[in-house]
Amino acid sequence: MELGIDSFAAVVSDPVTGVTLSPADRLANLLEEIEVADRSGVHSFGVGEHHRPEYLDSAPSLILAAAAARTSRIRLNSAVTVLSADDPVRVFQQYATLDLLSRGRAELVVGRGSFIEAYPLFGLNTQDYDSLFSEKLELLLRLRGDTHVHWSGRHRAPLRGQGVYPRPQQAQLPVWVGVGGTPESFVRAGRLGLPLMVAIIGGDFRAFRPLMDLYRAAGAQAGHAPDTLRVGVHAFGFVGDSDAGARDDFWPGYARMLDTLGRERGWAPPNRAQFDAACGPTGPYLIGTPDTVAAKLRFVHAALGGVDRLSFQMTNVLMPHARMLRSVELLGREVAPQVAEL
């Protein structure tokens, strides 16, 4: 099992002083987190895409390019690229360039996004939510396989064989499909033979097993080899020196983030008892000591019929920088070796 980290580059405040970091300082801290992950043995680092005031990741390929210049082995990916609201030609060019800068370490995780701000921002209709993604994913995969593409669709001007450059260093730029809980999304990824990145931010991991089986069955029916049908999971995670300490460190920023989103979406306020329960042996959060987290990873691997990559969503808007760096280091140096055999 590969272990990764995903960040949404959220604006962070100091929990003691209440002072909010400047955007420049926050991005500098994020790059240091990626450097520490690289040195500590974390397999991959992903940066999300949002177009909201509380996030700094509207141009994730630029953040990842800066990280490429400061790292040597860690794989660098989007988490996720909102492909529905972007131009597949530009997305391919940006990540092919990232692949060259990183000497073959770039990956794409593409999806439709859990927020809708990108759609009106770029003049798109949310009623085309699914058709935009389907069409643009088709074009992206065509561009990945051929420099000169002949293509036409509803949502973009046609291509008539123009060359799309640069080409990546990797023979084929890895493209994962990021999904939530929609069965159709799992089937589509399986039919295309693309690796799957599933966001599991609540509920029971075991409830997702039928969807994983649906993905694998769709892939097998389409004739794809089992080793191409890779499963990734994106979930809340944080590693500390004690179980109670890790929960205490993560809770304040987690609560603030969910409270902010909850007021927009009509959710109930976050509850500490529910959070602690979610950190338990079968809950959806991977928060605790290295041994606790490794045990949870083994449970997740078995519950889902095998997991190839687990990316820890460690974004926290009230986390001291030193504690975040410590968690990143523990994940790479102490958790990863325990689950390498998976």
Side-chain angles (χ1 to χ4, degrees):
M1 182 191 293
E2 301 164 353
L3 297 187
I5 296 171
D6 287 339
S7 174
F8 289 168
V11 174
V12 172
S13 300
D14 187 292
V16 177
T17 66
V19 175
T20 299
L21 270 67
S22 72
D25 287 342
R26 172 65 183 111
L27 287 178
N29 285 353
L30 176 58
L31 289 174
E32 187 177 6
E33 292 168 22
I34 302 174
E35 286 184 272
V36 171
D38 182 57
R39 293 195 301 267
S40 301
V42 175
H43 179 270
S44 58
F45 204 106
V47 176
E49 179 188 341
H50 300 85
H51 301 270
R52 297 168 57 89
E54 64 267 33
Y55 298 109
L56 301 171
D57 58 359
S58 63
S61 63
L62 291 180
I63 300 173
L64 294 169
R70 299 168 64 161
T71 57
S72 61
R73 47 153 300 279
I74 196 166
R75 298 194 68 79
L76 301 167
N77 60 270
S78 56
V80 302
T81 293
V82 185
L83 185 62
S84 305
D86 213 331
D87 179 357
V89 173
R90 293 298 287 151
V91 169
F92 180 82
Q93 291 175 324
Q94 289 162 6
Y95 281 85
T97 303
L98 175 63
D99 199 52
L100 297 174
L101 290 169
S102 64
R103 296 189 179 272
R105 293 185 283 129
E107 300 185 4
L108 269 163
V109 182
V110 299
R112 293 175 290 189
S114 59
F115 296 93
I116 64 168
E117 286 83 3
Y119 292 84
L121 181 63
F122 298 112
L124 300 168
N125 192 331
T126 53
Q127 292 181 345
D128 296 325
Y129 185 75
D130 190 63
S131 67
L132 281 164
F133 181 72
S134 297
E135 180 178 295
K136 293 184 177 188
L137 179 58
E138 176 201 351
L139 177 54
L140 179 66
L141 297 177
R142 292 276 303 277
L143 294 166
R144 182 176 71 159
D146 192 351
T147 305
H148 300 276
V149 171
H150 293 265
W151 176 92
S152 64
R154 287 180 53 207
H155 302 291
R156 190 201 186 280
L159 293 176
R160 297 187 173 89
Q162 303 98 316
V164 176
Y165 305 104
R167 307 308 294 180
Q169 177 164 313
Q170 296 176 87
Q172 190 173 71
L173 190 65
V175 176
W176 299 63
V177 177
V179 301
T182 313
E184 293 80 7
S185 297
F186 286 79
V187 170
R188 172 165 47 205
R191 287 176 177 164
L192 292 171
L194 295 174
L196 189 73
M197 182 59 68
V198 188
I200 301 179
I201 56 174
D204 190 317
F205 282 110
R206 292 169 291 192
F208 284 79
R209 177 61 182 269
L211 293 169
M212 304 297 191
D213 292 342
L214 189 64
Y215 161 71
R216 294 180 176 115
Q221 188 174 15
H224 299 294
D227 61 353
T228 67
L229 301 172
R230 305 184 68 208
V231 170
V233 171
H234 161 106
F236 281 116
F238 185 79
V239 190
D241 294 304
S242 71
D243 287 341
R247 292 194 298 268
D248 288 344
D249 285 343
F250 202 76
W251 163 253
Y254 164 90
R256 175 178 287 189
M257 180 179 68
L258 283 205
D259 187 55
T260 300
L261 293 178
R263 280 186 268 113
E264 291 182 11
R265 301 185 178 189
W267 298 346
N271 179 289
R272 178 61 195 259
Q274 292 174 344
F275 170 79
D276 287 337
C279 297
T282 62
Y285 300 165
L286 298 101
I287 297 175
T289 66
D291 288 346
T292 296
V293 171
K296 176 68 75 70
L297 287 167
R298 287 189 285 269
F299 163 75
V300 174
H301 186 72
L304 297 179
V307 173
D308 298 285
R309 179 181 299 180
L310 204 147
S311 288
F312 284 59
Q313 171 49 276
M314 296 176 69
T315 302
N316 193 286
V317 300
L318 289 173
M319 181 67 66
H321 183 49
R323 290 185 197 168
M324 181 61 75
L325 294 180
R326 171 67 173 161
S327 183
V328 171
E329 187 172 27
L330 287 172
L331 179 64
R333 297 197 185 281
E334 299 194 23
V335 179
Q338 292 193 51
V339 299
E341 72 277 6
L342 296 180

